[in-house]
Amino acid sequence: MQNNNWFQFKKIRPKRIFLLITLLTIFHHISSAQKDPQLREALSIMTKASISGDIEGILSQTSPRIIESMGGIDQATKLTKELYSSLIKYGVKIDSVINYVDMDVSKINGIAYCFIPQVLVMSMSEKDNMAITSANLLALKEDETKKWTFFNFNKMNQEKINMFIPEFNGKISLPPGLEKKTLVVKKEEVAKTVDQLMKLIDESVKKHK
């Protein structure tokens, strides 16, 4: 991969893009290798809601901690609709998300959690090109009676994670991730590029186990 292929979307503010991914991670490709069946089902529910544009369904799968930080469900609903509109306006569409699923579910202070590295593939207004980037998802299940919900920690450092999830403070560290940039490639290069990124993720995960 050459460095001059990397770019940041200039028309949509980066903070809006990453918040959008926080809320709207679209799991078109869900591996059955995910170890927890309830977590796999939660990913499936998010997929259906995202594909159909079901804002209520999407937010129902988003961590309540994120909803609260956005000012509550009404404000979160409004912002999510605006973000969807922003992508449509600039011809950006999340086509697929490839999850690295060889991750264990752990538990601390009554909270089950699982880090899920991802590669996102997006179509663009330039029909011959596709955009590819990496993301990091945190699945949370806050007690035995509650369902899995999702929390994207892109652009977050350990301090911010501790603010959202104080139960983790001093007890877990964020896993290393790939550099958060967007790579633009020709359509015929997508499969090869995704494979390279997934190999990098695999190497990083195994190195830090």
Side-chain angles (χ1 to χ4, degrees):
M1 300 180 196
Q2 296 180 355
N3 291 335
N4 60 3
N5 281 338
W6 292 96
F7 86 120
Q8 293 288 351
F9 285 109
K10 297 182 182 299
K11 292 183 178 179
I12 308 176
R13 288 179 293 173
K15 288 184 179 179
R16 292 175 70 86
I17 277 289
F18 282 106
L19 181 55
L20 177 68
I21 295 171
T22 298
L23 296 171
L24 310 178
T25 305
I26 301 177
F27 305 93
H28 286 179
H29 300 285
I30 300 175
S31 171
S32 59
Q34 177 53 253
K35 297 178 181 180
D36 185 298
Q38 289 184 331
L39 178 52
R40 184 170 66 244
E41 176 64 18
L43 291 175
S44 177
I45 292 172
M46 175 65 94
T47 301
K48 294 175 183 178
S50 300
I51 292 173
S52 66
D54 177 5
I55 303 299
E56 182 179 351
I58 292 165
L59 294 177
S60 74
Q61 300 302 310
T62 301
S63 170
R65 297 174 189 247
I66 293 293
I67 302 297
E68 182 179 356
S69 73
M70 295 172 68
I73 189 63
D74 290 342
Q75 185 63 22
T77 300
K78 178 182 177 182
L79 181 57
T80 304
K81 289 179 178 178
E82 290 175 354
L83 292 171
Y84 254 124
S85 297
S86 293
L87 281 190
I88 293 171
K89 179 179 179 180
Y90 294 112
V92 178
K93 178 180 180 295
I94 303 175
D95 285 339
S96 60
V97 174
I98 300 89
N99 299 307
Y100 182 91
V101 295
D102 189 20
M103 304 292 287
D104 295 325
V105 174
S106 302
K107 192 171 185 179
I108 192 167
N109 289 348
I111 301 176
Y113 66 93
C114 180
F115 291 107
I116 307 173
Q118 303 170 303
V119 171
L120 287 76
V121 179
M122 296 170 282
S123 58
M124 306 169 57
S125 56
E126 301 173 24
K127 301 300 183 182
D128 293 333
N129 294 331
M130 302 288 284
I132 303 175
T133 190
S134 63
N136 292 288
L137 195 68
L138 173 60
L140 295 173
K141 187 179 180 183
E142 307 239 8
D143 60 47
E144 290 300 328
T145 63
K146 291 186 178 180
K147 64 183 182 181
W148 286 98
T149 56
F150 303 101
F151 183 113
N152 189 288
F153 58 92
N154 282 320
K155 291 272 187 174
M156 288 191 179
N157 56 25
Q158 190 71 50
E159 182 179 356
K160 289 181 179 179
I161 288 291
N162 293 340
M163 179 183 69
F164 277 102
I165 315 174
E167 296 91 339
F168 286 3
N169 193 3
K171 298 178 180 178
I172 69 167
S173 298
L174 291 178
L178 301 181
E179 187 178 2
K180 297 301 178 294
K181 291 185 178 179
T182 302
L183 178 66
V184 176
V185 301
K186 296 295 184 181
K187 286 185 176 180
E188 58 269 23
E189 298 173 354
V190 168
K192 178 181 178 181
T193 304
V194 168
D195 183 61
Q196 290 174 333
L197 290 175
M198 292 302 290
K199 286 179 179 178
L200 289 174
I201 290 173
D202 184 61
E203 291 172 2
S204 178
V205 168
K206 291 177 178 178
K207 180 179 178 180
H208 291 88
K209 274 189 174 181

